Amino acid sequence: MDAFAPLQGAIGGAMIGLAAAILLLVFGRIAGISGILGGVLPPRSSETGWRAAFVAGLIAGPLIVASATGNLLTVELQSPVWVLIPAGLMIGFGTRLGSGCTSGHGVCGLARLSRRSIFATATFFAVALATVYVTRHLAGG
């Protein structure tokens, strides 16, 4: 995906913001994906329904768009699976350590001007910048 698509990005961002606002206004919950998924596995009986529906929507949404447009995006892995699995586990550990992920802190927390989310998001971006610099410039990637 090398195409610059500001309109699609703006529409997608507006849809994410709307979904986060609806979840907060209707259910009083923050749209943090790690927290939502964490409440599905293991299930919390009183909240399993909306959490499972949210996760199902994350999976079904792209499939619905692909079937409507006839354009299924393909993913080409840039790293071997033996690198991706520990990376995913470290991300999961980081979301637990940081009490949330970029969606919860970056989208919802910043919108609420949460001090903790501002620092968490700044940390996410600083680490991302450092990682890109190290992998592309120092490690020769």
Side-chain angles (χ1 to χ4, degrees):
M1 286 217 312
D2 295 325
F4 179 63
L7 180 60
Q8 289 89 336
I11 292 169
M15 290 172 68
I16 290 170
L18 180 63
I22 290 171
L23 189 63
L24 184 60
L25 293 171
V26 174
F27 293 100
R29 300 289 187 207
I30 301 297
I33 305 308
S34 62
I36 291 171
L37 185 60
V40 173
L41 304 169
R44 296 179 192 160
S45 61
S46 65
E47 299 183 343
T48 303
W50 74 264
R51 290 174 186 269
F54 196 96
V55 172
L58 290 174
I59 296 166
L63 298 174
I64 292 168
V65 169
S67 67
T69 63
N71 187 13
L72 183 63
L73 295 176
T74 58
V75 176
E76 182 180 324
L77 298 178
Q78 299 293 317
S79 298
V81 173
W82 64 268
V83 171
L84 295 176
I85 290 172
L89 292 172
M90 286 189 286
I91 290 170
F93 175 76
T95 59
R96 282 300 217 198
L97 183 65
S99 298
C101 58
T102 53
S103 59
H105 285 300
V107 174
C108 300
L110 292 180
R112 294 181 301 115
L113 299 176
S114 164
R115 176 180 253 155
R116 187 177 93 185
S117 292
I118 291 169
F119 286 114
T121 304
T123 302
F124 298 153
F125 276 92
V127 170
L129 289 169
T131 301
V132 169
Y133 180 79
V134 168
T135 57
R136 292 207 176 163
H137 300 288
L138 301 182

